[in-house]
Amino acid sequence: MRHLPRQAVLSIIGAVLLLAGVVLFAPGPFPRSEVRSVPGTPSLTGTPAAAATPIASPTSARPSSAASPPGAVSNDAAAMLRTHNELRSAIGAPPVRSDDRVAAAAQRHAEYLVRNSAGGHEESAGQPGFTGTSVRDRLIAQGYDATTASEVATSVGPGTAGVRSLWVLPYHRLGLMHPHAIVAGWGHAEAGGRSATVGVLVYDFGSPAPDLLRSPAAGQRVAGTWDGQEFPDVLPSGAARPVGHPVMLMAGGARAVELRSARITGPTGEIPHHVVPVIYERDYVAIVPAQPLAPGARYRVRLELTIAGSPVVEEWEFETER
């Protein structure tokens, strides 16, 4: 099996993961003059040429340790980052720090998507709100030159709800939970009944990282049911939906992970599952229970793996919400 160069790995994620946002954007015209930005985030409304000038400065502020109130939703960039870090903390992933330039790149793309009734990863020069064709171009336009970056987007709900919805999707969670993600910025925009939530992530494969990350983590309580909707599709053609909560394991250090066998057991015995195709990096595996998991139950995962050429068996338990 051939492995991609480290610097290319997440660039591929940035070019493809955002496609999942396309299916979440319903087509339809809307007034361009009604675009609303996330409060507290600078809004760029000038010409494309103006986008080449950095509009924000880096910040060294640490992620907030204050947890979001249960059920609270917000379109604020800081609240979205806090939600993202809460999700990472729950599985033992290190926090990502904020940077105003990265948040501005996310905000500009969210505005572009709603202004142009668009979905996807790329922007077209000459369209309203254009700040760069690719996520890397948009980061450079804000004065941030990231070698490895990716982007995710959704039109589901308010900003913080969008962050949580993206976390459920295996191919999106891949970047959001990544052990070598070091910086993240979030943006949200609304217009004509449409909304877009965009996250931009920056990676450093030389950064300290956990040996392994599991999601759900040992002892974590998660929703037992997922509608199974993601693009690219993680489920086989014709697979029944809804399904159970996706289970993922990721190795730090960009070590190759190969799944040899998997097993999920619950109160009624073994649960059939689907193996998620590995189409991006090679440092993760993911499986999806083929049926919704029972509420308020405990499930045990057993993965027989080969990690960096060595056999490894990982076993842990998680719970489902009542």
Side-chain angles (χ1 to χ4, degrees), residues 74 77 156 172 257:
S74 172
V156 172
H172 288 69
V257 180

Side-chain angles (χ1 to χ4, degrees), residues 5 25 76 102 119 130 155 175 177 198 211 225 242 260 265 292 299 313 319:
F25 286 106
D76 180 71
V102 179
F130 173 81
S155 62
M177 70 177 278
V198 174
D211 186 56
T225 301
R260 292 184 283 119
T265 53
Y299 290 87
V313 176
E319 298 180 3

Side-chain angles (χ1 to χ4, degrees), residues 216 247 262-265 287 299-303 314-318:
V247 176
R263 181 182 173 93
I264 305 177
T265 53
I287 59 175
Y299 290 87
R300 184 170 187 83
V301 180
R302 176 183 171 88
L303 302 178
E314 286 292 319
E315 291 190 78
W316 75 98
E317 295 183 345
F318 68 91

Side-chain angles (χ1 to χ4, degrees), residues 30 125 248 260 277:
F30 53 87
M248 301 183 67
R260 292 184 283 119

